[in-house]
């Protein structure tokens, strides 16, 4: 299709070029007529019956004669041919450029676009405003005297789709892409619920530019031999980002102060509950304090502290760590980590669940989450045993409460001094509130929909009770047509458009499945509020963004978020957190997805759309929202994206996140340019003015 469009553009351009050449020929004919008239007056061609060929030969001879001033009145035929050839070459190059922009960049350029249209499209994509008369200025400012004839300011909307609210996009069409080019999944994306999205960051446009360049290289364009892509893709990407950063960087001076915490390494405390490399940590903390970082975040691992026997807690290593942090006048965000570490992205250590819990699991594997095939996941305990006394005479909820109460007693002085500023309570795998629906150890790979994790005997018993209470005991089962871990929505009968997920049984099952998640968080947070009375508590929510643009939101459904296109599944979670006065720590992949090898478009993922849906649900009930980066970040472009999401531009209510945690402390962060960029990021998070230096 793209090649047909390119041929069509080339043909149109050739027609236009032909018209220009024809105009030149017409001008030559006019000159010929004038010359003939002059000859007639002078008597050179006095006989009206002279043949046309002799007149043409005489005109050709005259055409080659110099004028008295020494210049030629008409160009020689050879020069005209060279001009036509250069014009054809120029138009061929233009046609290739326009076709490439349409194909790879979704630029909505008209058929007979000229260089002004191209420059205008690129300027708008960079976040600038281009008026019809050519006046161009940044979107944050207005030119002097710009407005309508009556003095009313002119309102302009940029062409970038990231700046257009979803309700303004015509059904069945995307930016610059006719509806005929969309697949069925794209059409179903148009049925997605409306989410209020603030004005997009100018850094999103730079991200788009780099993504487009990468796509061009991936499509097989020769960057070495093609004159339009001279140089490597990396150099092109760097130039694009540098240009956009210099043109569009936002000034955060005077914006609200957002505390910045740095996550400590996962293995800062070893399995013997000892502080690892105390001297190295002291040096790093000293550096963090010098750039006014507010504090650090540390995981308190259940598998380390209560490793050997029930209620036998060993906090020694954490006590020494907290004392070192306090000496540097830094605050501490603590995570009650009731899950294992290892096997997930970014895990560089292995910390299993307590040994005594594993012994219970060997005799009763139903304490773990289980998939349809009967595979157990020992990453965390099943929510089905929250009220079952299967852990040496205690329920899972009692085990969590005893652990939190022990921590509160042991570190009372740090609570009283305000050193511990927040306690985040682990509620599932990776400490996040979700089912372990996409375990890599069981073969899941992005962007599979995952599998439901409700097949241990305790959750099945809960499902059976719910089905009987509904009056349909045959509904006491999991879906049998939901595919496998790596299925795609349209490959299953349950998640496809119009699938069983939206039928009577599907709605019953998904409602039950999501309520088990909410009930678990409700129980644990109520006890956390009791244990840490007077201290802010928080829960982490992960961003399952792939298949977000489909009707079913399949990956979210298997993770426990009942959030299809016709239902908001995050409002009820926000209401539950609000009841306990808990903050929401939301982690989702940033829009700066440029260096990731995964294809978010192919998975119909929308991290930004999901993020704003969750933020709106939280802010609507005045819930404090914390955030952390999901991907490693050391460059200015990435920091700018984080800043824009933390402090949305032009928000009428001035909403912003409550605190930010940087992932994670490492020698790489302290290295040269990385350190300078991070220091600059911290200042801007604090709302301070920064000095410019080359990025």
């Amino acid at each position: 299709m793209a090649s047909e469009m390119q041929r069509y553009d080339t043909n149109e351009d050739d027609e236009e070029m032909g018209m220009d050449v024809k105009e030149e020929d017409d001008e030559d004919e006019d000159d010929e007529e004038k010359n003939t008239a002059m000859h007639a007056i002078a008597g050179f061609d006095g006989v009206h019956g002279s043949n046309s060929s002799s007149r043409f030969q005489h005109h050709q001879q005259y055409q080659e004669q110099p004028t008295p001033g020494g210049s030629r009145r008409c160009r020689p035929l050879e020069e005209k041919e060279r001009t036509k050839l250069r014009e054809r070459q120029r138009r061929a190059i233009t046609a290739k450029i326009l076709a490439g922009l349409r194909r790879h960049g979704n630029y909505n350029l008209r058929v007979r676009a000229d260089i002004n249209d191209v420059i205008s499209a690129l300027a708008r994509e960079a976040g600038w405003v281009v008026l019809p008369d050519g006046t161009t200025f940044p979107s944050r400012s207005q030119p002097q005297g710009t407005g309508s004839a009556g003095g009313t300011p002119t309102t302009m909307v940029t062409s970038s789709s990231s700046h257009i609210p979803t309700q303004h996009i015509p059904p069945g069409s995307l930016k610059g892409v006719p509806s005929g080019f969309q697949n069925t999944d794209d059409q179903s994306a148009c049925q997605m619920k409306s989410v209020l999205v603030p004005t997009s960051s100018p850094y999103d446009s730079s991200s788009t530019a780099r993504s487009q360049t990468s796509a061009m290289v991936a499509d097989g364009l020769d960057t070495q031999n093609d004159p339009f892509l001279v140089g490597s893709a990396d150099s092109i990407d760097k130039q694009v980002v540098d240009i956009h950063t210099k043109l569009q960087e936002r000034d955060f001076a005077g914006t609200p102060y957002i505390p910045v915490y740095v996550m400590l390494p996962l293995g800062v405390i070893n399995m013997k509950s000892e502080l690892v490399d105390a001297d190295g940590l002291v040096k790093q903390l000293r550096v963090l304090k010098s750039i006014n970082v507010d504090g650090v975040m540390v995981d308190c691992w259940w598998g380390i502290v209560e490793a050997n026997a029930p209620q036998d807690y060993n906090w020694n290593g954490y006590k020494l760590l907290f004392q070192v942090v306090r000496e540097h006048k830094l605050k501490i965000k603590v995570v009650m980590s009731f899950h294992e570490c290892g096997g997930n992205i970014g895990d560089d250590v292995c910390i299993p669940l307590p040994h005594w819990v594993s012994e219970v699991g060997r005799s009763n594997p139903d304490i773990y989450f289980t998939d349809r095939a009967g595979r157990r996941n020992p990453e965390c305990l099943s929510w089905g045993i929250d009220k079952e006394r299967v852990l040496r005479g205690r329920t899972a909820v009692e085990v969590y409460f005893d652990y939190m109460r022990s921590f509160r007693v042991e570190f009372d002085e740090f609570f009283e001094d305000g050193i511990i500023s927040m306690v985040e309570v682990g509620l599932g795998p990776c400490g996040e509130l979700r089912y372990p629906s996409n375990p890599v150890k069981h073969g899941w790979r992005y962007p599979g929909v995952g599998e439901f994790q409700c097949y241990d005997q305790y959750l099945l018993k809960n499902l059976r009770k719910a089905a009987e209470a509904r009056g349909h005991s045959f509904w006491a089962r999991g879906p049998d047509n939901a595919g496998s871990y790596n299925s795609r929505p349209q490959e299953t009968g349950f998640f496809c458009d119009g699938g069983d997920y939206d039928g009577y049984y599907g709605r019953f099952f998904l409602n039950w499945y999501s309520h088990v998640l909410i009930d678990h968080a409700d129980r644990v947070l109520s006890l956390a509020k009791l244990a840490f009375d007077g201290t802010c508590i928080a829960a982490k929510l992960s961003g399952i963004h792939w298949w977000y643009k489909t009707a079913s939101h399949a990956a979210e459904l298997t993770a426990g978020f009942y959030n299809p296109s016709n239902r908001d599944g995050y409002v009820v979670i926000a209401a539950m957190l609000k009841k306990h006065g808990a903050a929401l720590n939301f982690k989702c992949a940033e829009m700066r997805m440029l260096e990731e090898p995964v294809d978010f478009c192919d998975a119909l993922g929308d991290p930004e759309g999901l993020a704003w849906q969750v933020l709106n649900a939280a802010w609507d009930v005045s819930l404090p929202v914390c955030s952390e980066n999901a991907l490693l970040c050391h460059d200015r472009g990435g920091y700018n994206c984080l800043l824009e999401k933390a402090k949305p531009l032009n928000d009428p209510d001035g909403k912003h996140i409550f605190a930010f945690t940087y992932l994670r402390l490492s020698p790489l962060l302290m290295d040269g340019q990385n350190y300078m960029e991070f220091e600059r990021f911290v200042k801007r998070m604090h709302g301070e003015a920064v000095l410019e230096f080359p990025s």
Side-chain angles (χ1 to χ4, degrees), residues 366-428:
D366 283 296
I367 67 173
Y368 303 125
F369 282 107
T370 308
D371 63 16
R372 185 176 181 82
R375 287 170 292 196
R376 316 290 183 172
N377 190 335
E379 185 175 354
C380 61
L381 298 180
S382 168
W383 301 331
I385 64 171
D386 277 358
K387 296 181 179 181
E388 301 288 340
R389 296 189 176 279
V390 295
L391 299 175
R392 303 284 178 89
R394 292 186 296 168
T395 67
V397 170
E398 290 173 343
V399 169
Y400 302 146
F401 177 67
D402 291 341
Y403 182 85
M404 292 186 289
R405 184 173 54 183
S406 172
F407 176 80
R408 178 62 180 83
V409 172
E410 289 290 337
F411 295 91
D412 178 71
E413 59 179 308
F414 295 92
F415 282 97
E416 296 299 327
D417 294 341
I419 301 299
I420 297 177
S421 59
M422 179 181 291
V423 178
E424 183 180 298
V425 183
L427 297 172

Side-chain angles (χ1 to χ4, degrees), residues 16 29 71 102 121 229 262 299 310 367 371 394 418 489 500 506 543 595 598 609 618 632 685 690:
E16 185 175 337
E29 290 177 2
S71 61
R102 292 190 186 100
L229 294 175
V262 175
D299 290 273
I367 67 173
D371 63 16
R394 292 186 296 168
D500 293 345
E595 300 174 359
V598 295
L632 289 177
M685 271 290 189
V690 296

Side-chain angles (χ1 to χ4, degrees), residues 145-158:
T146 301
S148 60
T152 304
T154 303
T155 302
M156 297 299 297
V157 179
T158 60

